[in-house]
Amino acid sequence: MKVTLEYIQKQIKIKPKIGLILGSGLGVLAEEITDPLFLPYKDIPNFPESTVEGHAGQLVIGKLADVPVLTMQGRFHYYEGYNLQKITFPIRVMQGLGIKFLIVTNAAGGINLSFSEGTIMLINDHINLMGTNPLIGKNLAEFGPRFPDMTEAYSSKLISLAKNVAKKLNIEIREGIYAAVTGPSYETPAEIKYLRTIGADAVGMSTVPEVIVANHGSMSVLGISCITNMAAGVTGKKLTHDEVMETAEKVRENLRSLLLGIIKEIGVGNENAGI
Ligand code: HPA
């Protein structure tokens, strides 16, 4: 960890305020970063390497909406074969750099029947169905407690802020619960019925490990899902990764404006929202 932080700190000229994880098909947002410093994962000591198509695999550090950010262009997934400690290592790096805000985006399948392809959903809670937890093992007391509270895993202040930004921009957004599964196979229709019954609005194969570790380290988290497809069995159509990428691309412009607006507000330090 020390080596990793030194490697990054030696090269950055700014102090990032927000950590941003860009999911499937959304990585291009990192291209808008001004004065960017690109650090390919493969060059960063102790970093895992991303293997999924559509994920570039680098940190991009610079400014978005004039706010210093550290962006993960491409993330790591459990189904790639890494353990959850590896997957969440970048969150620890963010914490080591003093970053207090995390924005995570992902592609997800829509379970809530009032959603449709292209719905943008703010995550207001999650259900961890990965069967494991990134905090298993010796507790890193310098980051947080053995048994961290998860009552507000997704900051209600950031949710309000995001809703206000969306309203101003006239972008329709929804709110809901994200269920995390391991993948890589998509769910069966029976599994989707089960997930709906237990209260999930969307399902995906990422985000939850990072959010658990972010909460352990007292970061404020905002999670945004792009509903790239309705989940298995909802329409009867078969699911493909190509469809996921295509929808993500269609939603990108709205998501881009939304994210820039949110980042700007967080950067200003919105006193009324308590941020
Ligand atoms: N299921 C799981 N993960 C996903 C989906 C889905 O339908 N769509 C995008 N990521």
Side-chain angles (χ1 to χ4, degrees):
M1 174 61 130
K2 200 163 159 268
V3 190
T4 314
L5 287 177
E6 278 170 9
Y7 176 85
I8 297 172
Q9 270 159 341
K10 246 191 344 218
Q11 306 187 65
I12 55 175
K13 296 180 201 75
I14 54 166
K15 189 175 165 11
K17 178 166 187 173
I18 304 173
L20 186 60
I21 304 179
L22 299 172
S24 297
L26 306 168
V28 289
L29 288 171
E31 285 163 19
E32 303 201 16
I33 292 181
T34 51
D35 271 334
L37 171 72
F38 298 100
L39 300 177
Y41 295 154
K42 63 176 174 25
D43 297 340
I44 307 175
N46 302 320
F47 246 63
E49 255 186 77
S50 164
T51 63
V52 189
E53 189 192 330
H55 295 258
Q58 58 183 358
L59 290 184
V60 190
I61 303 161
K63 287 191 174 178
L64 270 178
D66 224 25
V67 181
V69 296
L70 178 146
T71 305
M72 288 184 71
Q73 194 177 22
R75 62 142 64 83
F76 306 106
H77 301 86
Y78 192 42
Y79 60 72
E80 289 176 85
Y82 307 112
N83 65 36
L84 293 189
Q85 270 90 1
K86 268 274 182 206
I87 288 168
T88 54
F89 182 72
I91 307 297
R92 292 302 189 204
V93 170
M94 290 178 190
Q95 290 168 349
L97 293 171
I99 295 174
K100 300 275 191 282
F101 296 96
L102 176 69
I103 303 178
V104 271
T105 66
N106 60 43
I111 293 176
N112 184 323
L113 295 172
S114 72
F115 289 177
S116 54
E117 237 179 73
T119 297
I120 295 175
M121 182 190 95
L122 298 177
I123 305 175
N124 57 21
D125 207 346
H126 74 219
I127 302 175
N128 178 13
L129 293 172
M130 286 184 155
T132 182
N133 188 298
L135 301 178
I136 289 174
K138 193 172 176 296
N139 184 48
L140 301 174
E142 67 272 31
F143 285 106
R146 171 77 290 188
F147 302 107
D149 176 61
M150 292 290 286
T151 308
E152 213 182 294
Y154 300 84
S155 157
S156 57
K157 285 173 185 160
L158 290 182
I159 290 174
S160 306
L161 180 149
K163 281 180 170 169
N164 287 335
V165 171
K167 203 167 168 188
K168 266 191 231 155
L169 295 172
N170 217 1
I171 295 172
E172 196 191 330
I173 48 170
R174 304 289 302 271
E175 252 186 79
I177 296 173
Y178 176 91
V181 294
T182 67
S185 51
Y186 288 117
E187 303 69 41
T188 63
E191 286 165 346
I192 294 304
K193 264 191 212 157
Y194 159 75
L195 293 176
R196 187 178 299 118
T197 305
I198 64 170
D201 296 291
V203 59
M205 306 173 191
S206 67
T207 303
V208 161
E210 294 98 319
V211 171
I212 291 172
V213 170
N215 273 271
H216 180 249
S218 301
M219 293 173 104
S220 295
V221 177
L222 180 72
I224 306 177
S225 287
C226 166
I227 305 299
T228 51
N229 57 282
M230 287 310 284
V234 174
T235 65
K237 219 170 49 173
K238 290 203 175 187
L239 273 46
T240 66
H241 185 58
D242 285 349
E243 182 196 0
V244 168
M245 301 301 280
E246 267 167 40
T247 311
E249 188 158 325
K250 280 186 207 147
V251 178
R252 203 155 68 198
E253 194 45 44
N254 271 350
L255 211 46
R256 172 191 169 273
S257 319
L258 188 63
L259 280 171
L260 288 177
I262 291 166
I263 290 167
K264 194 168 158 197
E265 286 290 317
I266 295 175
V268 169
N270 191 323
E271 294 290 331
N272 293 338
I275 287 161

